[in-house]
Amino acid sequence: MSEIVTHAKLRLIAVPGLDRPAALITLDNGLDHTKPNTFGPGGLTSLSQAIDEAHAANPSFIAVTGKPYIFCVGADLTGFSAMTSREQVVEIGRLGHATFAKLRESTVPTFAFVNGAAMGGGLEVALHCHYRTLSSGAAALALPEVSLGLIPGWGGSQVLPNLIGIVPAAQVVVQNPLMMNKMLKPKQAFEMGVADALLEPADFLERSLEWAAGVVNGTVTVNRAEVDRSEMWDAVVGFARGELDKRLHGAVPAASKALDLLTLAKNGVTAEGIETEIQALADLAVTPELRSGLYAFDLVQRRAKRPAGAPDKSLARKITKVGVVGAGLMASQLALLFAKRLEVPVVLTDLDQARVDKGVGYVHAEIDKAVSKGRMSVGTAAKLRGLVSGSVDKAVFADADLVIEAVFEELSVKKAVWAELEQIVKPETVLATNTSSLSVTAMAADLAHPERVVGFHFFNPVAMMPLLEIVRGEATDDATLATAFAVGKQLKKSCVLVKDAPAFVVNRILTRFLGEIWNAVDAGTPLKTADRALDPLGLPMRPMALLALVGPAVAAHVGGTLHGAFPDRFSASPNLAAIAKSGLPLLVDERLNPEVEALLVQGDAPLTGEQVREKALAALAQEIRLMLDEGVVAEAADIDLCMILGAGWPFHLGGITPYLDRAGVSESVTGRRFA
């Protein structure tokens, strides 16, 4: 694929308070904000030439900024994935370093006016400048390379720690990418010291020029904390390495390389550090982990934004009021999310006033917490509080356009809720269920209008998890489905259309996977051996930690649903049932609870960790093939997307189906590959 060149456009601007004009370089690929600026060889060459021309004009200072809403989001990954040799990667690494060094080593003051999203190489070019202003409206700031199987390759691993210190640098370079690619908010980046000034977006460029002029003429003083280069630096890296090993067990080479580079940066930005970074980039660029990371990145960036099977969005109905049946923790989380994202009235109901008050109180407390942490203005908080209310009378749903239930996970209970509501709501009101495993079709079967019932399966915690499984029942019509997708987009969720099949996608796969772990435990495998069997994959958490997060009772309930549907593949583990009944915590201080281990009743046929892993992976391959044959989703890519966004399946494994293909499991179990 040919590069969409991001051109560096130079203009000279007269700035009050300075004798000579400023040289402003604007990065612009000529497309709107939906096609962000990226750097390939052409873009880097254009920037290099613009910097040379700026110097030749003898300006008072040189500044780099971006087109509206976008600074630059880094390397052109389409071009990167097309590189076939290590030498090509070394060449692009050197070109980027040589270009950015012109800003870092300039005798003329250099500034980055970070007006919008800045990721990867985009943030790196800003870091090479002497000073940085940052728009409070910038959507995303990150060095996400480790999540893709790479390292920041144009100076990020060397320049950033020398600017802000080793602790926050390790967070940005290593920790955040491994936490589902967590982004920095502008205020957080400013407080870390990534930027020297945080300015409002409305007049960002004018204020940035004014601020830069102040720095140049001496009326603005930039104060930065001194970087601690004591033995603490090595201790931080050592601690991070230990934590990584405990969590990933060597499965992410890029993370280890990044820590090596951060260690080197202790001595400042040196020729050795830069050359080591370039070589590390080249080493990683030819690994399977990179191909995996790029596949996962493409899924999240492209497929998630164009859901397969979604009806025409013009069919979607407008939502002006939302009802939430229930006022427990999940219902309260949903109420807060709908109020924040849709900015419409949201009303909760429950069986008694005490429960209603508790649910509304939770929402208000979360709003207050956001204000106290500086994440929400007082005005916005007041508006949101006014939008969320509660009642014990379901008549308040009479004018709601969408009602979502989050009541007990029992089919008869949910059917009773819809039967009652159908007598109250408008004929066109969308009825959404947050069931995690029950049949949407069965839930709607006795209604006069089953076509308006749809599954809205959120993941916990609701605000954090990006996936929304939208479940089409047998009767669900296109208008209801289109409304569901439109709402999901407003909620800023990545939506995947799934068929009404037991436990849908993520829960079905995780239940089958955990089922194999419990089969091994029931057979006599020590709990610790079974729990650690998947360590070589570098999954985000071990099976027992996952089970503790979900809750043994919930897992046993979903497992029971699937055992009823597919008894030959989903067993009902007596040990899991006993643990769920006991109410004991699975983990104590992140270790297996000895009291739980004492409950186990086991057979005399233990498996090795390798055998457990083989059985678990074989079960995943079989289940995914069956799901695709049943048409649960449109393609294998949708299962990969669900597992990445709903279960934290790591980017470095690149989606569950490509991993099973690469490992040879798909063919050995099902006779064919997924792709």
Side-chain angles (χ1 to χ4, degrees):
M1 188 181 289
S2 59
E3 176 187 355
I4 298 173
V5 177
T6 295
H7 294 282
K9 300 175 180 179
L10 173 66
R11 56 191 170 123
L12 299 178
I13 298 176
V15 182
L18 297 176
D19 296 334
R20 300 191 311 280
L24 181 66
I25 297 170
T26 302
L27 304 173
D28 192 345
N29 62 7
L31 303 170
D32 68 19
H33 68 278
T34 63
K35 303 287 185 186
N37 297 327
T38 55
F39 282 133
L44 291 170
T45 301
S46 178
L47 177 58
S48 181
Q49 290 169 351
I51 296 169
D52 290 344
E53 290 169 17
H55 275 111
N58 191 28
S60 54
F61 65 85
I62 298 171
V64 181
T65 193
K67 67 183 184 181
Y69 311 110
I70 301 289
F71 185 73
C72 179
V73 298
D76 176 2
L77 291 176
T78 55
F80 212 93
S81 60
M83 291 184 182
T84 55
S85 72
R86 190 179 185 283
E87 291 69 31
Q88 287 176 300
V89 183
V90 169
E91 190 177 331
I92 195 75
R94 292 204 198 291
L95 177 58
H97 267 284
T99 300
F100 296 175
K102 291 181 178 183
L103 295 165
R104 191 180 75 252
E105 297 169 358
S106 170
T107 54
V108 175
T110 57
F111 295 79
F113 298 159
V114 184
N115 63 307
M119 293 188 282
L123 185 54
E124 284 175 300
V125 71
L127 293 172
H128 281 273
C129 293
H130 301 152
Y131 307 97
R132 282 153 296 284
T133 64
L134 174 61
S135 167
S136 60
L141 304 161
L143 291 175
E145 288 85 353
V146 166
S147 71
L148 299 174
L150 290 171
I151 45 92
W154 288 331
S157 73
Q158 304 302 294
V159 180
L160 183 63
N162 281 288
L163 177 68
I164 65 174
I166 185 59
V167 174
Q171 179 187 336
V172 175
V173 173
V174 182
Q175 184 182 345
N176 284 359
L178 295 174
M179 292 175 66
M180 296 187 75
N181 216 2
K182 186 178 179 183
M183 301 283 150
L184 292 175
K185 295 281 195 291
K187 185 172 183 283
Q188 185 186 8
F190 171 65
E191 289 170 351
M192 276 183 173
V194 174
D196 301 302
L198 186 64
L199 304 172
E200 290 300 311
D203 53 356
F204 176 73
L205 182 57
E206 292 83 352
R207 295 289 78 80
S208 292
L209 288 166
E210 184 181 278
W211 184 86
V215 172
V216 172
N217 66 27
T219 59
V220 172
T221 303
V222 177
N223 295 310
R224 293 179 185 154
E226 188 176 344
V227 173
D228 183 348
R229 300 181 193 278
S230 67
E231 61 276 4
M232 186 274 294
W233 189 294
D234 300 311
V236 168
V237 175
F239 175 77
R241 210 180 285 281
E243 290 299 299
L244 265 183
D245 190 54
K246 275 198 291 187
R247 183 180 156 197
L248 299 173
H249 317 287
V252 185
S256 299
K257 289 265 193 189
L259 289 175
D260 293 342
L261 291 163
L262 289 173
T263 302
L264 272 180
K266 181 181 177 182
N267 302 319
V269 181
T270 64
E272 179 194 5
I274 288 169
E275 183 59 26
T276 305
E277 188 186 74
I278 291 170
Q279 296 302 326
L281 180 73
D283 289 342
L284 292 166
V286 292
T287 61
E289 286 82 9
L290 174 64
R291 302 295 164 218
S292 299
L294 291 176
Y295 169 76
F297 180 80
D298 187 69
L299 281 182
V300 171
Q301 292 299 311
R302 290 185 175 82
R303 190 172 186 89
K305 291 169 183 171
R306 300 183 194 83
D312 191 312
K313 59 186 179 183
S314 67
L315 296 173
R317 300 189 183 110
K318 189 175 181 182
I319 304 297
T320 61
K321 180 179 176 179
V322 173
V324 182
V325 185
L329 181 58
M330 176 58 91
S332 302
Q333 290 182 73
L334 290 172
L336 178 59
L337 180 68
F338 276 92
K340 280 175 70 175
R341 299 292 186 223
L342 271 61
E343 298 184 350
V344 299
V346 177
V347 58
L348 300 101
T349 65
D350 214 316
L351 298 175
D352 57 59
Q353 195 63 46
R355 294 186 207 198
V356 170
D357 291 345
K358 186 178 179 182
V360 174
Y362 170 88
V363 174
H364 288 181
E366 288 297 303
I367 292 169
D368 292 342
K369 197 186 298 181
V371 173
S372 67
K373 292 183 177 180
R375 294 175 183 163
M376 186 182 293
S377 71
V378 173
T380 300
K383 178 183 176 184
L384 286 180
R385 279 193 214 95
L387 288 174
V388 179
S389 62
S391 174
V392 292
D393 185 357
K394 292 191 180 69
V396 292
F397 294 147
D399 58 344
D401 303 297
L402 183 148
V403 178
I404 185 166
E405 64 77 18
V407 299
F408 186 65
E409 189 76 348
E410 178 67 50
L411 185 60
S412 60
V413 174
K414 292 181 185 286
K415 288 185 74 157
V417 165
W418 290 141
E420 181 184 0
L421 278 176
E422 194 170 41
Q423 307 305 312
I424 297 168
V425 299
K426 299 179 292 185
E428 66 275 13
T429 298
V430 171
L431 305 180
T433 170
N434 185 44
T435 181
S436 58
S437 61
L438 300 175
S439 169
V440 175
T441 301
M443 216 177 288
D446 300 331
L447 297 179
H449 296 285
E451 69 278 359
R452 57 176 173 173
V453 179
V454 65
F456 248 42
H457 182 211
F458 290 89
F459 292 79
N460 218 348
V462 169
M464 297 280 294
M465 298 301 286
L467 179 66
L468 177 60
E469 290 181 343
I470 294 181
V471 188
R472 181 170 204 161
E474 286 179 16
T476 309
D477 64 19
D478 283 352
T480 299
L481 204 60
T483 306
F485 275 98
V487 169
K489 187 175 182 179
Q490 281 183 276
L491 295 175
K492 297 189 177 178
K493 299 298 182 186
S494 295
C495 303
V496 176
L497 178 62
V498 303
K499 182 181 174 182
D500 186 19
F504 317 125
V505 176
V506 174
N507 282 353
R508 179 166 166 181
I509 291 173
L510 289 181
T511 303
R512 182 76 198 272
F513 159 71
L514 286 172
E516 290 302 318
I517 303 296
W518 283 109
N519 286 345
V521 172
D522 294 344
T525 307
L527 193 58
K528 185 180 285 186
T529 301
D531 193 35
R532 296 183 175 184
L534 277 292
D535 280 3
L537 274 68
L539 298 176
M541 56 180 69
R542 286 178 170 145
M544 295 307 132
L546 174 63
L547 192 61
L549 180 68
V550 171
V554 173
H557 179 83
V558 175
T561 300
L562 284 160
H563 175 64
F566 311 115
D568 56 325
R569 302 194 307 280
F570 290 85
S571 58
S573 166
N575 281 309
L576 176 57
I579 293 168
K581 187 177 179 182
S582 76
L584 290 168
L586 264 172
L587 304 178
V588 177
D589 296 328
E590 298 185 6
R591 295 183 181 177
L592 292 170
N593 184 353
E595 290 185 56
V596 166
E597 293 188 83
L599 289 175
L600 300 178
V601 178
Q602 297 180 278
D604 56 1
L607 303 177
T608 65
E610 186 176 353
Q611 288 171 322
V612 175
R613 185 166 62 254
E614 286 174 358
K615 282 181 174 291
L617 292 175
L620 289 178
Q622 182 194 35
E623 201 61 36
I624 290 168
R625 173 52 62 198
L626 289 168
M627 289 167 73
L628 292 171
D629 290 347
E630 291 168 24
V632 174
V633 291
E635 295 177 28
D638 290 316
I639 286 180
D640 296 329
L641 185 61
C642 284
M643 292 302 289
I644 290 167
L645 297 179
W649 182 265
F651 266 47
H652 70 264
L653 294 177
I656 194 165
T657 63
Y659 172 78
L660 293 170
D661 282 350
R662 281 200 313 277
V665 179
S666 313
E667 283 187 274
S668 68
V669 173
T670 71
R672 55 185 166 139
R673 293 165 64 89
F674 289 109

